Amino acid sequence: MATFVLVPGAWLGGWAWSRVTGPLRAAGHAAYPVTLTGLGERAHLASPQVDLETHLTDVVNLIEYEGLDDVVLVGHSYAGVVVTGVADRVPGRLAQVVYVDGGPVADGDAYLDMLAPEARAQQEKTVAERGDGWRLPMPSWEELEKVAGASPAGLGERERDLIRSRAVAQPFGTYTQPLQLRDPAREELPRALISCSFPLAQVRELIAAGHPWFVDLAGPRWTLHELPTGHWPLLSRPDDLAHLLGEVVPDRLRA
């Protein structure tokens, strides 16, 4: 069966995968949810020095110190840039990379570069005014949907309260440090997109139009999948997400 390493998006910790890891393990898979430095139960480690490279090291060290191989590396939202970097650092340890309502970032780009100008300006303003110049508090649901296009659809009041009660301000260096890619072997890995916020028909239109957020998804190593819900399927449709993750892994890992 498959070995999943699950990396959460911005403001979240490994706790956000708890409703997904249960079904995965019940199906016979191994599941390792990651809490990145400065977030979740590691909030006490937050500092202005935490950057993207810190988060890459978090995941690489988990894989190496746990002795994991044939890893299905899953990144939600912001973690798309993290798993892209990890795939570059340890491609020989991975079997597949899966992006959940997120995507890869190109060499030399930062996550912040992928955001629309309005969203970028709003986040920089929030960091300056409310984040001591180095951290990004989680915006309101309204702002997330209107400015960043991150819909909370599918989240009930319980899930929204859970996210709000456990969300930790994101160290902004993780958004601003450019990703440095070095090993072309990462391009040989199978990759999958699980699109939640965008219907697949729309994703394919954006790929065909050469949209910079989607153009990289056109390669032969990619498979595209759809799980209609909002931007947080880990909590809005966890059982369905776990099932789909089990379905998208390479056949040799399902035996």
Side-chain angles (χ1 to χ4, degrees):
M1 304 303 282
T3 297
F4 289 92
V5 171
L6 306 161
V7 190
W11 308 296
L12 308 179
W15 61 266
W17 290 102
S18 62
R19 298 182 188 178
V20 178
T21 55
L24 285 175
R25 290 166 179 160
H29 304 295
Y32 294 81
V34 179
T35 294
L36 299 169
T37 297
L39 300 164
E41 73 274 15
R42 305 182 70 200
H44 61 290
L45 299 176
S47 76
Q49 285 70 48
V50 174
D51 57 16
L52 177 61
E53 197 64 35
T54 310
H55 284 180
L56 300 186
T57 302
D58 287 334
V59 183
V60 168
N61 281 355
L62 171 71
I63 292 169
E64 292 188 338
Y65 281 88
E66 291 288 348
L68 306 180
D69 288 298
D70 274 344
V71 169
V72 178
L73 182 61
V74 182
H76 167 244
S77 188
Y78 151 75
V81 65
V82 178
V83 299
T84 301
V86 172
D88 182 75
R89 304 302 190 269
V90 288
R93 295 274 195 168
L94 307 185
Q96 185 179 27
V97 184
V98 181
Y99 297 85
V100 178
D101 224 37
V105 172
D107 182 34
D109 285 347
Y111 180 73
L112 197 63
D113 296 328
M114 298 293 290
L115 303 183
E118 182 183 359
R120 176 172 182 152
Q122 182 61 51
Q123 292 189 354
E124 290 174 333
K125 179 180 178 182
T126 299
V127 170
E129 294 179 353
R130 296 171 42 214
D132 301 319
W134 65 271
R135 47 189 177 174
L136 175 66
M138 186 176 184
S140 68
W141 297 114
E142 294 75 18
E143 184 180 330
L144 283 165
E145 185 165 17
K146 180 181 178 180
V147 178
S151 169
L155 295 175
E157 185 175 347
R158 177 186 175 191
E159 288 77 26
R160 293 187 187 210
D161 288 346
L162 178 65
I163 291 174
R164 283 291 167 194
S165 67
R166 296 188 182 180
V168 175
Q170 182 84 7
F172 204 50
T174 64
Y175 272 34
T176 60
Q177 184 181 32
L179 179 64
Q180 301 296 323
L181 299 176
R182 310 171 186 126
D183 192 341
R186 71 184 178 280
E187 297 293 340
E188 300 302 314
L189 291 168
R191 283 157 285 172
L193 167 71
I194 298 178
S195 183
C196 304
S197 299
F198 293 92
L200 269 189
Q202 185 178 0
V203 170
R204 291 190 174 102
E205 289 176 1
L206 292 166
I207 292 172
H211 191 289
W213 290 5
F214 296 89
V215 67
D216 287 344
L217 307 183
R221 298 277 180 180
W222 281 93
T223 60
L224 307 180
H225 310 268
E226 187 174 2
L227 183 61
T229 186
H231 186 59
W232 288 271
L234 302 71
L235 292 159
S236 62
R237 295 186 63 180
D239 291 332
D240 293 329
L241 178 57
H243 177 76
L244 186 52
L245 287 172
E247 289 295 312
V248 304
V249 300
D251 289 341
R252 65 184 177 83
L253 299 182
R254 287 190 242 163

Short mmCIF file of all heavy atoms in Angstrom, two decimals, residues 200-237:
data_model
loop_
_atom_site.label_atom_id
_atom_site.label_comp_id
_atom_site.label_asym_id
_atom_site.label_seq_id
_atom_site.Cartn_x
_atom_site.Cartn_y
_atom_site.Cartn_z
N LEU A 200 -13.03 21.01 -13.53
CA LEU A 200 -11.96 20.57 -14.42
C LEU A 200 -12.09 21.17 -15.82
O LEU A 200 -11.09 21.45 -16.47
CB LEU A 200 -11.95 19.04 -14.53
CG LEU A 200 -11.07 18.30 -13.52
CD1 LEU A 200 -10.98 16.83 -13.89
CD2 LEU A 200 -9.68 18.91 -13.44
N ALA A 201 -13.33 21.37 -16.26
CA ALA A 201 -13.50 21.99 -17.58
C ALA A 201 -12.86 23.37 -17.62
O ALA A 201 -12.21 23.74 -18.60
CB ALA A 201 -14.99 22.08 -17.91
N GLN A 202 -13.00 24.11 -16.53
CA GLN A 202 -12.40 25.44 -16.46
C GLN A 202 -10.88 25.34 -16.37
O GLN A 202 -10.15 26.14 -16.98
CB GLN A 202 -12.95 26.21 -15.27
CG GLN A 202 -12.47 27.65 -15.18
CD GLN A 202 -13.09 28.39 -14.01
OE1 GLN A 202 -13.89 27.84 -13.25
NE2 GLN A 202 -12.72 29.65 -13.85
N VAL A 203 -10.39 24.36 -15.61
CA VAL A 203 -8.94 24.15 -15.51
C VAL A 203 -8.35 23.87 -16.89
O VAL A 203 -7.32 24.44 -17.27
CB VAL A 203 -8.63 23.00 -14.54
CG1 VAL A 203 -7.15 22.62 -14.61
CG2 VAL A 203 -9.01 23.38 -13.11
N ARG A 204 -9.01 23.01 -17.65
CA ARG A 204 -8.50 22.68 -18.98
C ARG A 204 -8.52 23.90 -19.90
O ARG A 204 -7.62 24.07 -20.74
CB ARG A 204 -9.31 21.52 -19.56
CG ARG A 204 -9.08 20.19 -18.83
CD ARG A 204 -9.69 19.02 -19.57
NE ARG A 204 -9.33 17.77 -18.94
CZ ARG A 204 -10.13 17.07 -18.13
NH1 ARG A 204 -11.36 17.52 -17.87
NH2 ARG A 204 -9.72 15.94 -17.59
N GLU A 205 -9.54 24.74 -19.78
CA GLU A 205 -9.59 25.97 -20.57
C GLU A 205 -8.42 26.88 -20.22
O GLU A 205 -7.80 27.48 -21.11
CB GLU A 205 -10.91 26.70 -20.33
CG GLU A 205 -12.13 26.01 -20.94
CD GLU A 205 -13.42 26.72 -20.59
OE1 GLU A 205 -13.35 27.76 -19.89
OE2 GLU A 205 -14.49 26.25 -21.01
N LEU A 206 -8.12 26.98 -18.92
CA LEU A 206 -7.02 27.84 -18.49
C LEU A 206 -5.67 27.28 -18.93
O LEU A 206 -4.76 28.03 -19.29
CB LEU A 206 -7.06 28.00 -16.97
CG LEU A 206 -8.26 28.80 -16.44
CD1 LEU A 206 -8.42 28.61 -14.94
CD2 LEU A 206 -8.11 30.28 -16.77
N ILE A 207 -5.53 25.96 -18.93
CA ILE A 207 -4.30 25.34 -19.44
C ILE A 207 -4.13 25.67 -20.92
O ILE A 207 -3.06 26.09 -21.37
CB ILE A 207 -4.34 23.81 -19.24
CG1 ILE A 207 -4.26 23.47 -17.74
CG2 ILE A 207 -3.19 23.14 -19.99
CD1 ILE A 207 -4.50 22.00 -17.44
N ALA A 208 -5.20 25.50 -21.68
CA ALA A 208 -5.14 25.75 -23.12
C ALA A 208 -4.84 27.21 -23.43
O ALA A 208 -4.17 27.53 -24.42
CB ALA A 208 -6.46 25.34 -23.77
N ALA A 209 -5.31 28.11 -22.55
CA ALA A 209 -5.08 29.53 -22.75
C ALA A 209 -3.70 29.98 -22.30
O ALA A 209 -3.32 31.14 -22.49
CB ALA A 209 -6.15 30.34 -22.02
N GLY A 210 -2.94 29.07 -21.69
CA GLY A 210 -1.59 29.41 -21.24
C GLY A 210 -1.56 30.23 -19.98
O GLY A 210 -0.59 30.95 -19.73
N HIS A 211 -2.61 30.12 -19.16
CA HIS A 211 -2.65 30.89 -17.90
C HIS A 211 -1.45 30.50 -17.04
O HIS A 211 -1.17 29.30 -16.87
CB HIS A 211 -3.94 30.58 -17.16
CG HIS A 211 -4.21 31.50 -16.00
ND1 HIS A 211 -3.47 31.46 -14.83
CD2 HIS A 211 -5.13 32.49 -15.83
CE1 HIS A 211 -3.93 32.37 -13.99
NE2 HIS A 211 -4.92 33.01 -14.57
N PRO A 212 -0.71 31.47 -16.50
CA PRO A 212 0.53 31.15 -15.77
C PRO A 212 0.32 30.26 -14.55
O PRO A 212 1.24 29.56 -14.14
CB PRO A 212 1.07 32.52 -15.37
CG PRO A 212 -0.09 33.46 -15.48
CD PRO A 212 -0.95 32.92 -16.58
N TRP A 213 -0.87 30.27 -13.94
CA TRP A 213 -1.12 29.40 -12.80
C TRP A 213 -1.32 27.94 -13.21
O TRP A 213 -1.19 27.04 -12.40
CB TRP A 213 -2.35 29.86 -12.03
CG TRP A 213 -2.20 31.14 -11.29
CD1 TRP A 213 -1.14 31.99 -11.30
CD2 TRP A 213 -3.16 31.72 -10.42
NE1 TRP A 213 -1.38 33.07 -10.50
CE2 TRP A 213 -2.61 32.93 -9.95
CE3 TRP A 213 -4.44 31.36 -10.00
CZ2 TRP A 213 -3.29 33.78 -9.07
CZ3 TRP A 213 -5.12 32.19 -9.13
CH2 TRP A 213 -4.55 33.39 -8.66
N PHE A 214 -1.65 27.71 -14.48
CA PHE A 214 -2.09 26.39 -14.90
C PHE A 214 -1.27 25.79 -16.03
O PHE A 214 -1.41 24.62 -16.33
CB PHE A 214 -3.57 26.43 -15.33
CG PHE A 214 -4.51 26.78 -14.23
CD1 PHE A 214 -4.84 28.10 -13.97
CD2 PHE A 214 -5.06 25.80 -13.43
CE1 PHE A 214 -5.72 28.44 -12.94
CE2 PHE A 214 -5.94 26.12 -12.40
CZ PHE A 214 -6.27 27.43 -12.15
N VAL A 215 -0.41 26.57 -16.65
CA VAL A 215 0.28 26.11 -17.85
C VAL A 215 1.13 24.87 -17.58
O VAL A 215 1.24 23.97 -18.44
CB VAL A 215 1.13 27.25 -18.46
CG1 VAL A 215 2.28 27.64 -17.53
CG2 VAL A 215 1.64 26.85 -19.84
N ASP A 216 1.71 24.75 -16.39
CA ASP A 216 2.57 23.61 -16.08
C ASP A 216 1.80 22.30 -15.98
O ASP A 216 2.40 21.23 -15.99
CB ASP A 216 3.32 23.84 -14.77
CG ASP A 216 4.42 24.88 -14.90
OD1 ASP A 216 4.80 25.18 -16.04
OD2 ASP A 216 4.89 25.40 -13.87
N LEU A 217 0.47 22.35 -15.89
CA LEU A 217 -0.33 21.15 -15.72
C LEU A 217 -0.56 20.41 -17.03
O LEU A 217 -1.24 19.38 -17.06
CB LEU A 217 -1.68 21.49 -15.10
CG LEU A 217 -1.66 22.32 -13.81
CD1 LEU A 217 -3.08 22.51 -13.28
CD2 LEU A 217 -0.79 21.66 -12.74
N ALA A 218 -0.01 20.91 -18.12
CA ALA A 218 -0.26 20.33 -19.44
C ALA A 218 0.67 19.16 -19.76
O ALA A 218 0.48 18.49 -20.77
CB ALA A 218 -0.13 21.40 -20.52
N GLY A 219 1.67 18.91 -18.93
CA GLY A 219 2.66 17.89 -19.25
C GLY A 219 2.12 16.48 -19.20
O GLY A 219 1.10 16.19 -18.58
N PRO A 220 2.82 15.54 -19.85
CA PRO A 220 2.35 14.15 -19.93
C PRO A 220 2.39 13.41 -18.60
O PRO A 220 1.74 12.36 -18.47
CB PRO A 220 3.32 13.51 -20.93
CG PRO A 220 4.57 14.35 -20.85
CD PRO A 220 4.09 15.74 -20.60
N ARG A 221 3.12 13.91 -17.64
CA ARG A 221 3.19 13.24 -16.34
C ARG A 221 2.01 13.60 -15.42
O ARG A 221 1.91 13.09 -14.31
CB ARG A 221 4.49 13.62 -15.63
CG ARG A 221 5.75 13.17 -16.37
CD ARG A 221 6.07 11.74 -16.08
NE ARG A 221 7.27 11.27 -16.76
CZ ARG A 221 7.75 10.05 -16.65
NH1 ARG A 221 7.13 9.18 -15.88
NH2 ARG A 221 8.82 9.68 -17.31
N TRP A 222 1.15 14.49 -15.88
CA TRP A 222 0.06 14.98 -15.04
C TRP A 222 -1.23 14.19 -15.27
O TRP A 222 -1.56 13.83 -16.39
CB TRP A 222 -0.23 16.45 -15.35
CG TRP A 222 0.73 17.40 -14.71
CD1 TRP A 222 1.87 17.90 -15.26
CD2 TRP A 222 0.63 17.97 -13.41
NE1 TRP A 222 2.51 18.74 -14.38
CE2 TRP A 222 1.77 18.81 -13.24
CE3 TRP A 222 -0.30 17.87 -12.38
CZ2 TRP A 222 1.98 19.54 -12.07
CZ3 TRP A 222 -0.09 18.59 -11.22
CH2 TRP A 222 1.04 19.40 -11.06
N THR A 223 -1.97 13.97 -14.18
CA THR A 223 -3.37 13.54 -14.26
C THR A 223 -4.20 14.56 -13.48
O THR A 223 -3.75 15.10 -12.47
CB THR A 223 -3.59 12.14 -13.68
OG1 THR A 223 -3.20 12.12 -12.30
CG2 THR A 223 -2.79 11.10 -14.45
N LEU A 224 -5.39 14.84 -13.99
CA LEU A 224 -6.25 15.86 -13.41
C LEU A 224 -7.52 15.22 -12.85
O LEU A 224 -8.14 14.38 -13.52
CB LEU A 224 -6.61 16.91 -14.47
CG LEU A 224 -5.45 17.55 -15.23
CD1 LEU A 224 -5.97 18.56 -16.24
CD2 LEU A 224 -4.46 18.20 -14.27
N HIS A 225 -7.89 15.65 -11.65
CA HIS A 225 -9.03 15.07 -10.96
C HIS A 225 -9.84 16.19 -10.33
O HIS A 225 -9.32 17.27 -10.05
CB HIS A 225 -8.57 14.08 -9.88
CG HIS A 225 -7.57 13.09 -10.40
ND1 HIS A 225 -7.93 11.86 -10.89
CD2 HIS A 225 -6.21 13.15 -10.51
CE1 HIS A 225 -6.85 11.21 -11.29
NE2 HIS A 225 -5.79 11.98 -11.06
N GLU A 226 -11.11 15.91 -10.06
CA GLU A 226 -12.01 16.93 -9.55
C GLU A 226 -12.70 16.44 -8.28
O GLU A 226 -13.17 15.30 -8.22
CB GLU A 226 -13.06 17.29 -10.60
CG GLU A 226 -13.95 18.45 -10.22
CD GLU A 226 -14.89 18.84 -11.36
OE1 GLU A 226 -14.86 18.18 -12.41
OE2 GLU A 226 -15.65 19.80 -11.18
N LEU A 227 -12.74 17.29 -7.26
CA LEU A 227 -13.50 17.03 -6.04
C LEU A 227 -14.25 18.31 -5.70
O LEU A 227 -13.72 19.19 -5.02
CB LEU A 227 -12.56 16.64 -4.89
CG LEU A 227 -13.23 16.27 -3.56
CD1 LEU A 227 -14.15 15.07 -3.73
CD2 LEU A 227 -12.18 15.99 -2.49
N PRO A 228 -15.48 18.46 -6.21
CA PRO A 228 -16.18 19.73 -6.06
C PRO A 228 -16.48 20.07 -4.60
O PRO A 228 -17.19 19.35 -3.91
CB PRO A 228 -17.49 19.50 -6.85
CG PRO A 228 -17.19 18.37 -7.77
CD PRO A 228 -16.23 17.49 -7.01
N THR A 229 -15.91 21.16 -4.14
CA THR A 229 -16.14 21.68 -2.79
C THR A 229 -15.40 23.02 -2.74
O THR A 229 -15.00 23.55 -3.76
CB THR A 229 -15.66 20.69 -1.71
OG1 THR A 229 -16.03 21.18 -0.42
CG2 THR A 229 -14.17 20.46 -1.77
N GLY A 230 -15.21 23.55 -1.55
CA GLY A 230 -14.43 24.76 -1.41
C GLY A 230 -12.94 24.45 -1.33
O GLY A 230 -12.48 23.36 -1.67
N HIS A 231 -12.20 25.42 -0.81
CA HIS A 231 -10.73 25.35 -0.83
C HIS A 231 -10.15 24.46 0.27
O HIS A 231 -8.96 24.19 0.27
CB HIS A 231 -10.17 26.77 -0.69
CG HIS A 231 -8.69 26.86 -0.85
ND1 HIS A 231 -8.03 26.45 -1.99
CD2 HIS A 231 -7.72 27.32 0.00
CE1 HIS A 231 -6.74 26.64 -1.85
NE2 HIS A 231 -6.52 27.16 -0.66
N TRP A 232 -10.99 23.99 1.20
CA TRP A 232 -10.49 23.18 2.32
C TRP A 232 -11.14 21.80 2.32
O TRP A 232 -11.86 21.45 3.25
CB TRP A 232 -10.74 23.91 3.64
CG TRP A 232 -9.84 25.09 3.83
CD1 TRP A 232 -8.60 25.10 4.40
CD2 TRP A 232 -10.08 26.44 3.42
NE1 TRP A 232 -8.05 26.36 4.37
CE2 TRP A 232 -8.94 27.22 3.78
CE3 TRP A 232 -11.15 27.08 2.80
CZ2 TRP A 232 -8.86 28.58 3.53
CZ3 TRP A 232 -11.07 28.44 2.54
CH2 TRP A 232 -9.94 29.18 2.90
N PRO A 233 -10.88 20.96 1.30
CA PRO A 233 -11.49 19.63 1.25
C PRO A 233 -11.04 18.72 2.38
O PRO A 233 -11.71 17.73 2.68
CB PRO A 233 -11.04 19.09 -0.11
CG PRO A 233 -9.74 19.79 -0.37
CD PRO A 233 -9.94 21.18 0.19
N LEU A 234 -9.92 19.05 3.03
CA LEU A 234 -9.44 18.27 4.17
C LEU A 234 -10.51 18.22 5.27
O LEU A 234 -10.56 17.24 6.03
CB LEU A 234 -8.17 18.88 4.76
CG LEU A 234 -6.93 19.05 3.92
CD1 LEU A 234 -7.08 20.14 2.88
CD2 LEU A 234 -5.72 19.36 4.80
N LEU A 235 -11.32 19.27 5.32
CA LEU A 235 -12.35 19.36 6.36
C LEU A 235 -13.76 19.36 5.79
O LEU A 235 -14.70 19.00 6.50
CB LEU A 235 -12.12 20.63 7.19
CG LEU A 235 -10.85 20.58 8.04
CD1 LEU A 235 -10.39 21.97 8.41
CD2 LEU A 235 -11.07 19.75 9.29
N SER A 236 -13.93 19.75 4.55
CA SER A 236 -15.28 19.77 3.98
C SER A 236 -15.68 18.42 3.38
O SER A 236 -16.86 18.05 3.43
CB SER A 236 -15.41 20.87 2.92
OG SER A 236 -14.53 20.64 1.83
N ARG A 237 -14.71 17.68 2.82
CA ARG A 237 -15.01 16.36 2.25
C ARG A 237 -13.85 15.41 2.53
O ARG A 237 -13.24 14.84 1.61
CB ARG A 237 -15.27 16.46 0.74
CG ARG A 237 -16.51 17.26 0.38
CD ARG A 237 -16.84 17.22 -1.11
NE ARG A 237 -17.15 15.88 -1.56
CZ ARG A 237 -17.48 15.58 -2.83
NH1 ARG A 237 -17.52 16.54 -3.74
NH2 ARG A 237 -17.75 14.34 -3.18
#
